[in-house]
Amino acid sequence: MDDAPLPSTEGLTLDQLRLFLAVVDAGGFSAAARSLRRAQSAVSYGVANLERQLGTPLFDRAGRKPRLTPAGDELASEARSVCAQVDRLRARAHGIAHGVEPRLAIAVDHMFPLPALVHALREFRDRYATVSLTLHTEALGAVAELVAGGVCSVGIGADVPKWPAGLERSLLAKVMMLHVAARSHPLAHVRGPLPGHVVREHVQIILADRSLLSKDYEIGIYSERRWRVLDLAAKHALLRAGLGWGGMPMHVVADDLAKKRLVRLLIEEAGSPSFEAALFAMHRTAEPPGPAASWLIERLRAACGDVEKSEKEGREDRRKGA
């Protein structure tokens, strides 16, 4: 029976782990030294000292390039986990010192451009790695209701006729909307503006509100036959299937229009072939956004502008190529 004492890890340092991982990632001691801007001897010494403390070789140095031993391969993942935890600890401490929220719940309207949301949240994850995020996607007054009720601290939503008390809002973006129907839909075959008596004969698919803030809100409704859905993706699918006609954000149906799956409709009573829907950033007056929430609001504003610019350039390119 081997009674040899176990190696001591009391002197093990974070710097040693980072040196070890630098050699793994760079593929060699000299390359790691260059990437860290340190002397190769310092890197070699640090890793050798780590091996002594762990009681096992981490690299096989017999070849031209050092190769991880089985133990080194297994311990590399552990070392990455330790370094990541330390980085999170430091980031969390920095956030606490600067008043960054530990968690954030936001509500975003279905009409907000999804690419802009994804892009902003990707940057948010990298910038505020320690902030836990909860994302709600809703329609119309449900966004304001979640914020007013304290479920979410920030909302990106549309205007509603019954605005809750105690909320502050600022214009964030404007979404271009238009009326569409499937190519196979009867309205798609009518030339010129569609008169009211024709439109009223066909099902208009409407995005409904889970809240009571937009109850009986009839703006933009032109048909006596109405189907209400609670999800924009479901509405999109029903429109593409030819089950009705309705208004949709331009950024959602742009590809369908380009590929002729959907066609634009000109509703005579609506006047213009397109219209804008305003989206507002909102929060409770008594609880202003913290640093992370404030940053995210501004990044969503900028990301939405970037998407709008990109779509405009795409439409111009398509017109030139037509």
Side-chain angles (χ1 to χ4, degrees):
M1 185 173 181
D2 190 357
D3 294 326
L6 292 172
S8 173
T9 58
E10 289 184 2
L12 188 149
T13 66
L14 183 65
D15 184 62
Q16 290 172 337
L17 296 180
R18 295 198 187 279
L19 290 175
F20 168 43
L21 293 176
V23 176
V24 173
D25 295 337
F29 289 90
S30 59
R34 287 193 298 272
S35 69
L36 296 172
R37 296 183 179 180
R38 297 172 68 168
Q40 182 176 337
S41 59
V43 176
S44 299
Y45 177 79
V47 173
N49 199 22
L50 177 63
E51 290 175 316
R52 282 193 295 272
Q53 289 179 311
L54 294 176
T56 184
L58 300 173
F59 292 100
D60 180 355
R61 298 168 173 80
R64 183 169 171 267
K65 288 187 175 182
R67 294 186 303 165
L68 281 171
T69 62
D73 187 51
E74 186 172 339
L75 292 174
S77 62
E78 296 290 341
R80 289 190 195 281
S81 177
V82 170
C83 290
Q85 288 178 10
V86 171
D87 289 340
R88 284 195 293 270
L89 175 65
R90 286 175 173 167
R92 185 66 178 271
H94 181 271
I96 292 172
H98 291 80
V100 175
E101 314 90 308
R103 60 190 61 84
L104 178 62
I106 66 171
V108 179
D109 194 284
H110 290 304
M111 289 194 298
F112 190 88
L114 188 58
L117 177 62
V118 172
H119 184 73
L121 290 181
R122 181 180 291 112
E123 293 188 1
F124 180 85
R125 177 201 61 188
D126 296 339
R127 187 179 182 93
Y128 295 99
T130 64
V131 178
S132 176
L133 180 75
T134 301
L135 173 66
H136 297 257
T137 54
E138 289 289 353
L140 303 171
V143 173
E145 192 171 72
L146 286 172
V147 178
V151 176
C152 295
S153 55
V154 171
I156 308 297
D159 198 6
V160 291
K162 300 175 183 178
W163 196 255
L167 288 189
E168 289 190 18
R169 56 176 176 160
S170 62
L171 182 65
L172 185 90
K174 290 185 177 180
V175 177
M176 185 64 67
M177 304 285 294
L178 66 159
H179 297 110
V180 296
R183 208 166 108 182
S184 59
H185 193 277
L187 292 182
H189 304 292
V190 179
R191 298 193 176 197
L194 294 162
H197 71 276
V198 173
V199 169
R200 284 191 286 273
E201 295 175 358
H202 297 275
V203 172
Q204 181 178 358
I205 301 176
I206 301 162
L207 192 62
D209 194 341
R210 297 180 194 272
S211 77
L212 298 177
L213 298 179
S214 297
K215 187 178 180 181
D216 301 324
Y217 191 42
E218 295 294 289
I219 189 169
I221 299 177
Y222 303 102
S223 176
E224 296 174 353
R225 302 177 61 192
R226 304 161 190 175
W227 285 12
R228 299 180 185 272
V229 296
L230 295 173
D231 181 79
L232 188 66
K235 179 178 179 179
H236 189 192
L238 295 180
L239 290 171
R240 287 178 57 172
L243 297 179
W245 67 274
M248 287 290 287
M250 179 66 180
H251 64 85
V252 175
V253 297
D255 187 59
D256 293 306
L257 294 171
K259 295 179 179 177
K260 308 297 185 183
R261 290 188 292 258
L262 293 175
V263 298
R264 299 179 67 159
L265 302 179
L266 176 54
I267 308 300
E268 194 174 76
E269 291 181 46
S272 173
S274 62
F275 55 100
E276 287 184 331
L279 292 178
F280 298 86
M282 63 191 77
H283 64 86
R284 290 183 297 283
T285 305
E287 299 180 40
S294 297
W295 182 92
L296 182 57
I297 289 171
E298 291 309 310
R299 193 65 197 92
L300 287 170
R301 192 190 310 275
C304 196
D306 293 342
V307 168
E308 184 179 351
K309 180 180 177 182
S310 176
E311 290 179 346
K312 183 178 179 181
E313 291 173 349
R315 290 194 296 270
E316 290 177 353
D317 290 342
R318 285 193 292 271
R319 280 198 297 266
K320 290 177 182 177

